[in-house]
Amino acid sequence: MMYRLAIYDMDRTVTVHGTYTGFLLHVARRMAPWRLLLFPCVILAMLAYVLKLITRQRLKEVNQALMVGWNVERAKLMPHIESYADTVIATNLRQGAVAQIAQDRADGCRLVLATASYRLYVEPIARRLGFDAVIATDHLSQDLRYVRAKIAGENCYDTGKLRMIKAWMAAEAIDRASAHIRAYSDHVSDAPMLEFADVAFAANPHKPLARLAAERGWARVDWA
């Protein structure tokens, strides 16, 4: 049996803009507007990451603790997550990506959204777009009553994303030799995923990925 997979990155591939900062601000405005006063600390944390004083994973944990809270009751949080997903669908999609997703579905592909963003808000977005599976960064308490600002396992990024894709395929009993994979991304950090695919697409690529795509012979698509 041949499995047909279409694996999409999310931020700036399916969406026009990144979703993580929007998620933090959306939730803060609705749950605890006073947390917006802490946003300068988010900027400082980003600077610490740029200076390599903290890891990308730690950056995400710190920012969530500042803007959302260290421990947040899931039942109180989820209505705001759902409203954020509605906002992303209404205002932050590349229509070319939406059309390609529909084409891959029509071609019989299983649609997979693989992203460094948190599963917490990615799944509602993926559900609205008709994706079949989500591979994303998980919270330590992903299935518990309280959502903690702590990542379980590794950030779904770069080589970590490829490891998580392979782990998902193994869990789904999909052998690589029996799979035909299309992969789409805008960022060079997804080079491992694109190399893993049978057909790779640099979608609205930034300059480093555009250069790499030209070297590797990967197709380029520019979606409005």
Side-chain angles (χ1 to χ4, degrees):
M1 179 178 178
M2 179 61 68
Y3 295 91
R4 298 174 64 84
L5 304 177
I7 305 177
Y8 287 77
D9 173 51
M10 185 174 76
D11 286 359
R12 299 183 180 87
T13 299
V14 174
T15 66
V16 178
H17 308 293
T19 60
Y20 180 58
T21 301
F23 155 70
L24 295 176
L25 294 175
H26 182 94
V27 173
R29 288 190 189 103
R30 285 154 181 79
M31 291 193 70
W34 63 267
R35 288 188 178 276
L36 296 175
L37 297 173
L38 301 176
F39 193 73
C41 298
V42 171
I43 302 301
L44 290 175
M46 291 179 179
L47 178 61
Y49 168 70
V50 170
L51 295 174
K52 299 184 179 180
L53 299 176
I54 60 175
T55 64
R56 178 180 287 266
Q57 180 163 327
R58 185 58 180 158
L59 171 65
K60 292 170 76 169
E61 293 171 344
V62 168
N63 286 347
Q64 183 173 332
L66 289 167
M67 292 288 96
V68 180
W70 179 252
N71 277 307
V72 182
E73 191 170 356
R74 184 178 298 275
K76 294 180 179 179
L77 179 60
M78 289 314 297
H80 306 297
I81 297 296
E82 293 291 339
S83 67
Y84 181 60
D86 287 336
T87 297
V88 171
I89 296 299
T91 67
N92 194 17
L93 293 183
R94 295 192 187 276
Q95 293 308 308
V98 173
Q100 187 61 54
I101 291 166
Q103 183 61 58
D104 284 338
R105 184 185 301 111
D107 289 343
C109 293
R110 189 171 180 182
L111 301 173
V112 181
L113 194 58
T115 173
S117 295
Y118 281 122
R119 181 183 301 275
L120 181 71
Y121 71 84
V122 171
E123 284 189 336
I125 295 170
R127 185 172 66 248
R128 286 161 172 77
L129 290 171
F131 276 86
D132 301 298
V134 169
I135 300 168
T137 304
D138 285 306
H139 285 92
L140 189 62
S141 56
Q142 185 68 37
D143 300 317
L144 302 180
R145 178 180 173 183
Y146 287 88
V147 176
R148 288 182 58 195
K150 183 71 175 175
I151 290 174
E154 62 183 321
N155 194 29
C156 186
Y157 182 78
D158 201 272
T159 55
K161 180 183 286 191
L162 180 57
R163 284 191 292 271
M164 293 172 76
I165 290 170
K166 290 179 176 179
W168 174 82
M169 290 176 65
E172 295 292 314
I174 300 174
D175 181 69
R176 179 65 186 89
S178 301
H180 185 274
I181 300 174
R182 302 174 183 175
Y184 305 84
S185 180
D186 72 293
H187 199 273
V188 73
S189 64
D190 278 328
M193 177 183 76
L194 296 171
E195 289 174 341
F196 182 67
D198 295 287
V199 183
F201 295 90
N204 296 82
H206 69 157
K207 288 182 179 179
L209 179 58
R211 287 194 297 268
L212 183 63
E215 293 170 6
R216 302 292 173 83
W218 297 338
R220 172 173 177 156
V221 291
D222 291 286
W223 292 326

